[in-house]
Every structure is written in C-alpha cells, then in structure tokens.
Amino acid sequence: MPHRIKEITEGSIPDPLFTISGENLEISFSDAARLLQAWRNPIKARGIREGIVVSLVNESKLAIEVISNKLMYTPLSREEEEQLIDELKVLRYMIARALPEALELVTQDKLITEEDIRKFIQRHLQSLKEEYGEIKGARKILNRLQEITDLEIVDSYGNKRRVRKDEVIEFLGSILGSFLAKQAALQPLTGVTARPIGKVLPIYTYKAAAITSTSVPPKSIDRDDIRVLDKDRMSLVSLIVDMSQSMRRVVFEQGLSRLDGALLTSLGLYYFFNRINRKKGRLIKPFKMAIVPVTKTPHVVDDNKKLEELLLKAKAEGRTRLVHALIEAINHARKQKTKSIQAEQHVSLIFITDGRPNVPYPGPLPGHPSEGFKEYLRKRDISEDMKQCMLQLNQLFNYLKMDKSVQWSIQYFLIAPQGSEKSPIYRDTERMLRGITQPILVDPAKLEHLASQIARESLANY
C-alpha cells in the first residue's frame, strides 16, 4: 500500500540534522569533563591566552631567523624574495608592537577571549596594510593564530580533534546527546493518537478516512478514523542541580569535581531531549527541559543562551537551597501549563544533590508535612535549619502528590559512595521521601552513568 511505503521510507531515511560531527570519537566522560573545565575555568583561560601570545612571539622570532638566513644565503627568484620580505615585515611588526601590546592587555584581562586577541591583531595588521599595502604573510599569521586558539581533545583510541572555543558546548552536547540516545530504547512517538475524545486534527482524520475507504476524497468518516492530539504525550523535565559548596569534592582524576559531573549530565540531557524532539513525523515536541541550579538565587535555564551562561559561570559555593529551587521549578511548570494546548501535562522533577538542604524557605507553602516525619525529625541530631528544610520539602512533595491538575513525578538522585544505604543522610532522605518515591543512590565515581539513568526514568514515566 502506498501509505505503508511512505511510512517505511520516512522511518528508514536518517534525518540529516542527526549527522553530528565528532560522533565517531570515543571520548570518555572524564575527557569530556576536562574539555568543559578547560573551556569554563577563567584561571586556565588566562593561562591559555598568555600561552597563545607567547607562542606567537617564539614562532615569530624563529621565523625571522629562518627567513633572514634564507634571504642571505639561498638563491631566490625576484618573486620569492618579495614574498619573504613581506613576511619579514609582518613578523618584525608583530614582535615590535602587536604581540607585546596584546600580552599586556591579556594580563590586564582586557582581552578576555581568543576572539578578542584575534581581532586585536587583525586591527594591527590592518594598520600595517595601510602603511605597506597588501602583505601576503599576514594571512599566514592569522591562520596560525586560529590553529593555536582551538582546544584539542583526544579520544580513548588516540584520535585527535581540534574544537573551536565557541563550538565546545555544541560539540560536547552533540556527542553526549547521541550517546544517551543510543543507550535509551526509544520508541517511535508521533504525538497523535486514534480516539474519539480530544482536539480533532482534520488533516490526520482525513488521511485515516481515505485509507479506510480506499478512496480520495473518502466516502465517509467513521468514528475509528478520528485522530486527536495525544494529550498524554507532553512532558516537562525539570532538572534541579545542587551547586552548593559540597559539590566541590573531587571525584575524578585531574581535579574533576562533582559539579563538573553534574554540569556534563545537564548538558547531555539537554541535547538528548532536543534530539528526541527533532524526530520526524511529530506534530508537537513531546519533551521540554529546564535546569534549575540550586544557587543563592535559583532560576530557570531553558534555552541555549542561558545554558551556555550557566556552564560558563557555575560555581560550587554557598548553602543548599533545595526548597527555593523546587518552588522555582513548580512555578515554571505552572506557567508552561497555561501556555500549552495540552489538557494534561506530565512534569518530572529530578533532583541531583549530595546532601541535606540547609536553607529554609521564609514564606508560606502549600500542603502539610507528614506527622510521622515530624516525629522522626524530633529524634534526629541535626541542625534546626536542616530539619525545617526537610519538613518543607516533605510538605511540598505531599502537596504535589495530591495535586490532580498536573501529573507530577519525583526522582531524587543522591550522590554518595557505594554502601551508603545505612548512612544518616540516606536514612533521612529515604524517610523524607517515604510515600512519594525512593532515593536513587549514585556513586560519585560513576557519575558518567547518571545521565542515562535519568533518561531511562524520564522515558519510562513518559
């Protein structure tokens, strides 16, 4: 049947947008974390910038010596001599003026990015061009500058890839998102279902009737031909990521922290859900993702610009404001509900934390905490702030459990070493979540598996 041929063809031809450069690299989670760390660490960034300028100085000095010897002792044609003299002018100008000024501005943090350095040198070379005319050696200098400013990544098999600084996020996100997509067993989702109740979709209904009656236009539209928007296929994933001081703890080699792992997890999931949404044949995007960092002022990160700013500026500092972040996530979900054409919406609240909350929310909250949990906390020897925070979380969780306007699900990932099931933190967390969900223990040394765990849980709930 023609319609079946069309369906098979669409399903078998890959979406060209899915062909992402770099997917053939077999990079480890720690390799990806190191690349992200080099991209976002301002101290290392200054060292990289200074290194760029110093490298250009050393190369220019060596090139001047080589060219001078070549001009003095090697037989050359007139054209070759003119080309070498032009290069010599550029190199001497670079060493005398452009590079010393660039190095001074880098140390003063007035040239912040590699692009700033490039533009600064380009302006100098433009001045040289105005003085001497077109000089071919200038382009060679700029090409070398571009090569130095790229970041290099080496995969598990020794394959190398240079990545431009402004492409690091896209590069890592694409690789991690692709990796998650391969791990998760994704079923074809169209966002359309066959049932007689809901928002009728005329085009899909017409096509179904034409297939049923084997005629165009269809002779009639039966009840079984009606196609409506699938109201159960809309999910908002809110990732609440702890960025308190305790997330500084180093868990990988070469100084990579829990925060680095959490940021990579957030980046991979963001691209993973975008990848699902790009599947062909979808009327709507089945997933939306928001990241709520647990910081002094929790906020919602739900677009590429905000994500890049978060990855660049995130720091593990301060106390754990989980209640504040949860309220921000709930409010964001409510706003998305009013914007959506869906009658129902599923919201996954996913926590990534390594400890207890310790900053109580100052205002009133909906719902009521469990009396049993109140009694449990009275016997615990922890700070009053922690007790109040855990009561507030329990109160909000109980409220969401009873709320029927939105389908809420809660996944609570606790970063702690293996065998921590008997630790006080785990017992307190398990008791706080009793009747709601079970805490999921994540070994800090195996944070690379966290993203795939979250992806599987989200798809299962979906």
Side-chain angles (χ1 to χ4, degrees):
M1 294 292 289
H3 68 280
R4 290 179 180 167
I5 293 174
K6 182 174 183 295
E7 289 174 0
I8 293 171
T9 304
E10 284 187 344
S12 60
I13 295 178
D15 185 342
L17 292 175
F18 278 20
T19 306
I20 306 212
S21 61
E23 286 188 359
N24 57 333
L25 287 179
E26 297 292 336
I27 66 172
S28 67
F29 190 80
S30 57
D31 290 336
R34 277 191 289 273
L35 181 60
L36 181 66
Q37 190 182 63
W39 175 82
R40 64 186 297 272
N41 190 319
I43 297 176
K44 288 188 176 182
R46 179 189 289 184
I48 291 171
R49 297 195 302 269
E50 291 175 353
I52 290 169
V53 179
V54 172
S55 295
L56 285 173
V57 170
N58 292 334
E59 289 187 4
S60 298
K61 287 181 178 179
L62 180 60
I64 287 174
E65 183 179 350
V66 171
I67 292 173
S68 299
N69 290 334
K70 196 170 185 179
L71 285 170
M72 291 182 62
Y73 303 114
T74 306
L76 300 168
S77 65
R78 180 183 180 84
E79 183 179 344
E80 289 174 331
E81 283 186 1
E82 290 177 351
Q83 184 175 346
L84 289 175
I85 290 172
D86 280 347
E87 287 188 28
L88 206 56
K89 289 178 183 177
V90 174
L91 292 169
R92 285 174 174 167
Y93 181 85
M94 292 279 287
I95 288 179
R97 292 185 55 185
L99 294 178
E101 289 181 25
L103 185 58
E104 182 179 358
L105 292 174
V106 165
T107 57
Q108 295 174 3
D109 283 336
K110 293 182 178 179
L111 297 180
I112 302 299
T113 67
E114 287 82 355
E115 184 63 25
D116 292 339
I117 299 174
R118 188 178 300 113
K119 289 180 179 178
F120 177 80
I121 293 177
Q122 283 176 334
R123 287 196 297 270
H124 264 285
L125 293 177
Q126 183 63 32
S127 301
L128 189 65
K129 178 181 177 181
E130 293 171 359
E131 184 176 349
Y132 292 103
E134 185 68 38
I135 297 179
K136 297 178 182 178
R139 184 176 299 276
K140 185 181 294 186
I141 294 292
L142 290 176
N143 289 342
R144 180 58 186 146
L145 177 62
Q146 174 68 49
E147 182 180 341
I148 294 174
T149 57
D150 291 345
L151 298 177
E152 185 175 83
I153 187 168
V154 183
D155 71 3
S156 306
Y157 298 98
N159 300 316
K160 296 182 179 180
R161 166 77 184 270
R162 298 195 71 86
V163 186
R164 284 178 50 187
K165 195 79 181 290
D166 57 356
E167 293 178 347
V168 167
I169 299 304
E170 181 71 24
F171 174 77
L172 286 178
S174 300
I175 287 181
L176 294 170
S178 173
F179 178 70
L180 289 176
K182 292 174 183 176
Q183 284 190 325
L186 301 182
Q187 299 297 323
L189 305 174
T190 63
V192 175
T193 188
R195 62 184 180 190
I197 300 174
K199 179 179 174 62
V200 176
L201 302 173
I203 295 177
Y204 288 89
T205 300
Y206 180 87
K207 289 181 179 179
I211 292 170
T212 303
S213 61
T214 64
S215 65
V216 179
K219 297 175 182 177
S220 63
I221 297 179
D222 298 328
R223 182 183 178 89
D224 293 338
D225 296 327
I226 296 176
R227 297 292 184 268
V228 302
L229 193 64
D230 189 340
K231 302 184 182 208
D232 300 325
R233 291 186 180 272
M234 182 67 188
S235 186
L236 172 64
V237 179
S238 291
L239 196 63
I240 301 171
V241 184
D242 187 354
M243 294 188 181
S244 61
Q245 187 171 355
S246 61
M247 293 291 282
R248 292 180 183 177
R249 297 173 189 168
V250 174
V251 292
F252 300 109
E253 295 177 357
Q254 300 183 8
L256 302 176
S257 67
R258 293 181 177 185
L259 177 64
D260 294 320
L263 291 176
L264 264 187
T265 297
S266 303
L267 175 63
L269 287 168
Y270 186 85
Y271 274 80
F272 168 70
F273 287 116
N274 280 347
R275 190 182 181 98
I276 295 177
N277 289 337
R278 275 169 32 193
K279 287 284 187 180
K280 287 186 175 181
R282 290 241 174 85
L283 186 67
I284 61 169
K285 294 181 179 180
F287 285 99
K288 290 184 179 180
M289 182 175 175
I291 302 167
V292 183
V294 181
T295 59
K296 188 174 182 179
T297 54
H299 58 284
V300 175
V301 176
D302 57 358
D303 62 39
N304 291 354
K305 185 176 181 180
K306 292 178 183 177
L307 176 64
E308 184 168 340
E309 185 176 358
L310 170 68
L311 295 174
L312 182 62
K313 298 180 179 180
K315 295 180 181 178
E317 60 184 4
R319 303 173 73 191
T320 310
R321 292 173 168 81
L322 275 186
V323 187
H324 300 67
L326 174 56
I327 292 171
E328 191 71 24
I330 292 173
N331 291 337
H332 176 68
R334 299 284 190 202
K335 292 177 183 178
Q336 296 300 310
K337 166 73 174 174
T338 60
K339 295 178 183 178
S340 176
I341 61 176
Q342 304 290 327
E344 297 178 0
Q345 181 171 339
H346 181 268
V347 180
S348 292
L349 299 172
I350 302 170
F351 293 79
I352 302 176
T353 182
D354 65 347
R356 303 181 187 90
N358 53 26
V359 181
Y361 187 74
L365 298 173
H368 302 281
S370 166
E371 292 298 327
F373 186 50
K374 283 184 180 179
E375 184 61 30
Y376 170 85
L377 285 180
R378 287 193 188 102
K379 303 174 183 177
R380 292 289 295 117
D381 185 20
I382 57 177
S383 72
E384 290 301 318
D385 281 349
M386 287 183 180
K387 289 182 180 180
Q388 188 176 349
C389 287
M390 297 184 80
L391 277 174
Q392 288 179 339
L393 283 180
N394 180 262
Q395 178 176 337
L396 286 172
F397 293 154
N398 287 329
Y399 165 72
L400 296 178
K401 182 180 179 181
M402 301 302 295
D403 180 24
K404 302 301 181 185
S405 63
V406 176
Q407 298 178 30
W408 302 92
S409 72
I410 297 167
Q411 295 146 48
Y412 204 98
F413 291 86
L414 183 63
I415 302 175
Q418 286 184 341
S420 297
E421 289 85 354
K422 296 181 180 180
S423 66
I425 290 180
Y426 184 88
R427 290 201 307 269
D428 292 347
T429 304
E430 188 275 332
R431 192 63 185 82
M432 178 183 70
L433 297 172
R434 185 168 295 180
I436 309 296
T437 186
Q438 282 285 333
I440 303 171
L441 204 61
V442 179
D443 190 331
K446 298 179 180 178
L447 277 178
E448 65 268 25
H449 302 304
L450 176 57
S452 58
Q453 280 183 274
I454 294 174
R456 286 195 297 271
E457 292 281 344
S458 300
L459 292 174
N461 288 326
Y462 180 78

